[in-house]
């Protein structure tokens, strides 16, 4: 069953087309990878799905509901969560307080019986899930002093707190060491086991292809290829797009 | 961090929280007298001090206290709005609307003081929020520019339409029963605003407001309708100002175009800049210093605004954190020299 | 009517250009702009009346002095607090307060301060009598806009300006010193303000209070037009300028300010980035 159907979305910025007529269907409980060279429109694509940018044309249907035109917070509350490429924590708040904000969203309140109660314990549980050591001082540190790896985990924790059904992870692995990537990958695999759907925009192809069910390749805003990782690896056009050489 | 050399050994200055500070954050604060006093001392001293000045000194100082408290509340409200990511240059707008609301209720509907003030507080907050609703999507400097323009334009609007007394203003409004009530009311309101807003900001609900200032896009991505929250913050902040306006109206038994004066926008910001932004208590402290100072400078006439400007520039450049941050650091943290290995 | 509207619009545009230039390039909202406008007027007045210098020489001197003052202001104050929006606003506004109130204190109050017009006389156009000074404003404004365009597109400094405006970090890596450029942009913005003052002020008297009015006018035009966009500013000043003249003619001159207010609120509600704001600004603002 398709949980998210993207049809023909197009967006032009001042004459340059950032995304041109991209369509893709995402099946429930699968991992879709989106790859492409720099400037190929990956982040714009994510921005459109999550409501941060309104496309010129096209439709995004989530569980039978049209999402184009909805503001980002409505999209989030429907169950499509989004992690930013440039991490956006609340820098002045401690890590565990960061998670209180999504826990206060209408979506979570509706599912957990409502009320603005004491959410510290819930927040600490979620942080432990993404690798903040519970009995250390890490969850209590201000976000501005946390290292990059933890901030990426914090982005992930926000989506888990939101009980999102679709996780859109914009270059989650960028700027992380191999060790950090290997420690985050199991978290993503566990999300898949829990029945979540995941869209990953990624430059780290090797790590992505290991876990992806399907991959689409964008180049100059157009979808040039869609298929399972193995097909993508062997595709001549994709190689051309990445390496920039005539084959 | 500073460094120095003693006996050929390098030392650097280290700041750590005092033990008592750490303890009084916890349950000890309720079980030990020492910790309780540690927490109460910085709160009780200003409350008692201002009460002494207000009740025991001659009548002239009562008026000074009134003005000081009003500006302190405006400053606290400004800081609350800025904690929610809304940089307002137009506290005069909220203040003036509250003042005219109280004046209007009293002049046209002949409502007594104890009704006009609460009514003006709520309606003033509502009207201000409605006026700013179209621009609530703006951020930072763009929002600031609009709020700067609005009170001045409203001033012209009243001048042009001759509504609400026009250029003459509304005079002969009902006064307070006596000055004791007046002073007590404004002090109570000021402390209520300060401690109430501090408590509010620290709650889980208030956390959302702070998160909007930190990063509004991440707040949106957390499923929060930031415009609804900003509107709420606007209502709270402008209500506090509207209360000040209503109070001032009855205190002077007059309302008119001067209530939209630039002074009511600028002084609170100055107080916040000097006292320390995003602390709520800092702006109050700043107002406590600035307003009496301006009374002392009164004989210089317009030159005192020049002094203000100069103080502001110096403070913004030289003391960016503000007095409150400095004091609370001294109170809560100790410094020591440690060897650099 | 048409002619007066045109001239009113051009005056608005001229007032706003300097503010807009500084903001568009360095991102500093210069709230001291109104004060600078008035100070420029008084400097020129002093030079002409007290020192007896020729008109054009004093005008040129005032423009240069104000330009230098702008650069000085950037180097001394703004450089230290660059990027802290609240501090920038407070500092520039405090400068405005100091300048304006100091003028008031020294005693520049009253109606005896006015600048001489460049050429006296008036001509009839389309049935309306227009002072030559007003026509001069029109001509000079067009000149300024053209000069600004040529400057930003064909000189090295102008190209650096646009570089900083687009991306400060990239220009930094291309060997452009953003502080130097920002201080230049501040200087040139202030000079434009002084220029506007010298050209426009002869139409009336110089008063300290009009400093705030100038700032408000410049702000409204810039907000409506989309901050940082020169053509947006021009279009916005035409909209507001004609709207003001229309209300003044058909309703009452008291209501002109309300027209600007409504224009600002409506345009911001519909299009938060202003008429011609760029996408980049939209991202920052909404």
């Amino acid at each position: 069953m398709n949980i998210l159907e993207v049809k023909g979305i197009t967006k032009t910025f001042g004459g340059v087309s950032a995304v041109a007529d991209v369509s893709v269907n995402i099946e429930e409980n699968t991992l879709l990878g989106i790859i492409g060279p720099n400037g190929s429109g990956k982040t714009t694509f994510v921005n459109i799905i999550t409501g941060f940018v309104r496309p010129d044309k096209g439709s995004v249907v989530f569980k039978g509901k049209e999402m184009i035109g909805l503001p980002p917070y409505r999209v989030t509350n429907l169950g499509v969560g989004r992690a930013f490429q440039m991490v956006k924590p609340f820098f002045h708040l401690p890590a565990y307080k960061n998670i209180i904000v999504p826990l206060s969203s209408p979506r979570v309140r509706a599912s957990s019986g409502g009320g603005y109660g004491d959410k510290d314990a819930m927040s600490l549980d979620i942080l432990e899930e993404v690798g903040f050591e519970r009995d250390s001082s890490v969850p209590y540190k201000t976000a501005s002093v946390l290292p990059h790896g933890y901030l990426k985990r914090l982005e992930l924790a926000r989506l888990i707190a939101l009980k999102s059904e679709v996780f859109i992870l914009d270059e989650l692995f960028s700027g992380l060491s191999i060790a950090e990537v290997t420690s985050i990958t199991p978290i993503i695999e566990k999300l898949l086991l829990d029945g979540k759907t995941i869209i990953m925009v990624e430059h780290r192809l090797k790590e992505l292809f290991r876990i992806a069910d399907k991959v689409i390749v964008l180049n100059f805003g157009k979808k040039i290829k869609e298929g399972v990782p193995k097909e993508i690896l062997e595709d001549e056009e994709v190689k051309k797009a990445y390496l920039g050489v005539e084959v | 961090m500073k460094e120095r050399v003693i006996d050929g050994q390098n030392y650097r200055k280290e700041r750590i929280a005092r033990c008592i500070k750490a303890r009084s954050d916890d349950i000890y604060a309720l079980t030990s007298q020492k910790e309780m006093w540690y927490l109460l001392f910085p709160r009780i001293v200003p409350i008692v001090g201002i009460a002494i000045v207000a009740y025991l000194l001659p009548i002239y100082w009562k008026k000074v206290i009134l003005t000081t408290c009003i500006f302190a509340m405006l400053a606290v409200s400004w800081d609350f709005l800025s904690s929610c990511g809304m940089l307002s240059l137009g506290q005069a707008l909220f203040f003036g609307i509250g003042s005219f609301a109280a004046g209007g209720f009293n002049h046209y509907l002949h409502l007594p003081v104890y009704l006009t003030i609460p009514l003006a507080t709520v309606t003033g907050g509502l009207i201000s929020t409605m006026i700013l609703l179209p621009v609530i999507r703006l951020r930072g400097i763009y929002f600031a520019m609009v709020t700067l323009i609005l009170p001045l334009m409203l001033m012209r609007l009243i001048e042009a339409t001759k509504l609400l007394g026009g250029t003459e203003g509304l005079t002969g409004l009902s006064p307070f029963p006596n000055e004791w009530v007046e002073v007590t009311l404004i002090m109570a309101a000021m402390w209520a605003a300060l401690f109430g807003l501090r408590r509010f900001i620290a709650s889980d609900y208030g956390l959302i407001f702070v998160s909007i200032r930190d990063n509004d896009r991440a707040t949106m991505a957390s499923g929060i309708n930031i415009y609804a929250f900003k509107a709420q913050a606007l209502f709270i902040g402008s209500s506090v100002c509207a209360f000040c306006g209503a109070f001032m109206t009855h205190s002077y038994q007059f309302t008119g175009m001067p209530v939209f004066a630039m002074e009511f926008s600028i002084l609170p910001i100055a107080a916040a800049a000097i006292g320390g932004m995003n602390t709520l208590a800092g702006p109050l402290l700043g107002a406590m210093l600035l307003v009496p100072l301006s009374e002392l400078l009164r004989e210089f006439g317009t030159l005192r605004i020049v002094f203000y400007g100069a103080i502001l520039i110096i403070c913004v450049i030289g003391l960016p954190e503000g007095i409150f941050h400095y004091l609370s650091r001294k109170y809560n943290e100790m410094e020591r020299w440690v060897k650099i290995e | 009517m048409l002619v007066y509207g045109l001239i009113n619009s051009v005056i608005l545009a001229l007032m706003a250009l300097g503010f807009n230039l500084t903001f568009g390039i360095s991102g500093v909202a210069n709230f001291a702009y109104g004060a600078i406008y008035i100070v420029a007027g008084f400097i020129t007045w002093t030079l002409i009346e007290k020192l007896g210098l020729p008109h054009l020489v004093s005008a040129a001197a005032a423009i240069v002095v104000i330009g230098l003052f702008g650069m000085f202001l950037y180097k001394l104050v703004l450089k230290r607090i660059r990027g802290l929006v609240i501090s920038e606003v407070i500092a520039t506004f405090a400068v405005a307060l100091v300048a304006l109130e100091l003028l008031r204190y020294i005693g520049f109050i009253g109606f005896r301060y006015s600048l001489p017009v460049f050429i006296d006389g008036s001509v009839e156009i389309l049935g309306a009598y227009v002072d030559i000074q007003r026509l001069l404003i029109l001509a000079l404004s067009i000149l300024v806009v053209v000069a600004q365009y040529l400057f930003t597109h064909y000189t090295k400094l102008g190209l650096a300006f646009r570089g900083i405006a687009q991306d400060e970090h990239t220009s930094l890596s291309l060997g452009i010193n953003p502080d130097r450029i920002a201080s230049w942009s501040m200087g040139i913005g202030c000079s434009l303000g002084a220029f506007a003052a010298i050209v426009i002020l002869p139409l009336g008297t110089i008063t300290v209070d009009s400093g705030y009015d100038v700032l408000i006018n410049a702000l409204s035009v810039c907000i409506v037009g989309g901050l940082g966009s020169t053509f947006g500013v021009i279009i916005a000043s035409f909209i507001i300028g004609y709207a003001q003249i229309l209300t003044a003619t058909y309703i009452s001159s008291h209501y002109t300010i309300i027209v600007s207010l409504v224009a600002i609120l409506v345009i911001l509600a519909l299009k938060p980035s202003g008429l011609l704001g760029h996408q980049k600004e939209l991202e920052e603002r909404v």
Side-chain angles (χ1 to χ4, degrees), chain C residues 22 25-26 74 82 177-187:
Chain C
T22 311
I25 287 158
S26 58
Y74 183 87
R82 188 84 194 282
N177 178 355
D179 272 335
R180 195 174 67 91
I181 299 301
S183 78
W184 270 101
S185 82
M186 187 79 185

Side-chain angles (χ1 to χ4, degrees), chain A residues 52 72-73 76-77 84 88-93 97 100-102 104-106 116-117 119 158 162, chain B residues 202 204-205 207-208 210-227 229:
Chain A
F52 280 90
Y73 50 87
T76 311
N77 279 321
F84 291 95
K88 290 184 193 294
F90 308 117
F91 278 113
H92 292 92
L93 299 177
K97 292 273 185 197
I100 304 241
V101 178
S104 309
S105 70
Y116 287 95
K119 300 188 169 63
R158 190 179 70 223
L162 279 166
Chain B
D204 278 359
Y205 194 77
L207 204 65
I208 299 174
V210 183
S211 78
I212 293 175
R213 179 197 62 196
D214 251 12
N215 198 325
D216 52 352
R217 316 204 86 195
T219 314
M220 269 201 278
S222 302
I224 304 285
N225 181 352
I226 60 169
Y227 307 120
F229 275 85

Side-chain angles (χ1 to χ4, degrees), chain A residues 9-138:
Chain A
I9 53 173
T10 303
K11 177 74 193 175
T12 329
F13 287 121
V16 184
S17 79
V19 177
D21 196 23
V22 175
S23 306
V24 64
N25 290 329
I26 298 136
E27 271 179 50
E28 201 172 345
N29 199 12
T30 57
L31 197 153
L32 171 78
I34 301 177
I35 64 169
N38 286 324
S40 59
K42 302 184 298 288
T43 297
T44 310
F45 182 75
V46 170
N47 277 339
I48 289 172
I49 295 179
T50 48
F52 280 90
V53 169
R54 189 185 270 250
D56 303 330
K57 271 210 308 268
S59 81
V60 178
V61 177
F62 171 69
K63 288 169 120 183
K65 188 169 163 46
E66 176 63 54
M67 289 208 302
I68 295 298
L70 295 184
Y73 50 87
R74 291 278 305 279
V75 172
T76 311
N77 279 321
L78 284 174
V80 179
R82 182 250 173 103
F84 291 95
Q85 176 187 359
M86 300 290 172
V87 285
K88 290 184 193 294
F90 308 117
F91 278 113
H92 292 92
L93 299 177
Y96 77 104
K97 292 273 185 197
N98 266 271
I99 303 306
I100 304 241
V101 178
L103 284 177
S104 309
S105 70
R107 177 180 173 81
V108 179
R109 275 192 297 147
S111 64
S112 62
Y116 287 95
D118 175 32
K119 300 188 169 63
D120 293 3
M122 274 160 88
S123 156
L124 288 174
D125 286 346
I126 293 166
L127 284 177
E128 193 178 24
E129 222 174 293
V130 296
F132 280 67
E133 296 81 358
R134 178 187 278 273
D135 293 326
S136 72
S137 63
V138 188

Side-chain angles (χ1 to χ4, degrees), chain B residues 174-233:
Chain B
S174 350
F176 286 99
N178 59 55
E179 69 241 20
W180 297 106
V181 176
E182 213 173 327
V183 171
T184 315
L185 178 64
I186 192 71
M187 282 197 302
M190 178 179 76
W191 296 119
L194 174 68
F195 292 116
L197 287 178
R198 263 167 68 118
R199 178 59 73 84
F200 180 70
I201 285 261
S203 70
D204 278 359
Y205 194 77
L207 204 65
I208 299 174
F209 292 90
V210 183
S211 78
I212 293 175
R213 179 197 62 196
D214 251 12
N215 198 325
D216 52 352
R217 316 204 86 195
T219 314
M220 269 201 278
S222 302
I224 304 285
N225 181 352
I226 60 169
Y227 307 120
F229 275 85
K230 277 184 164 185
Q232 287 173 32

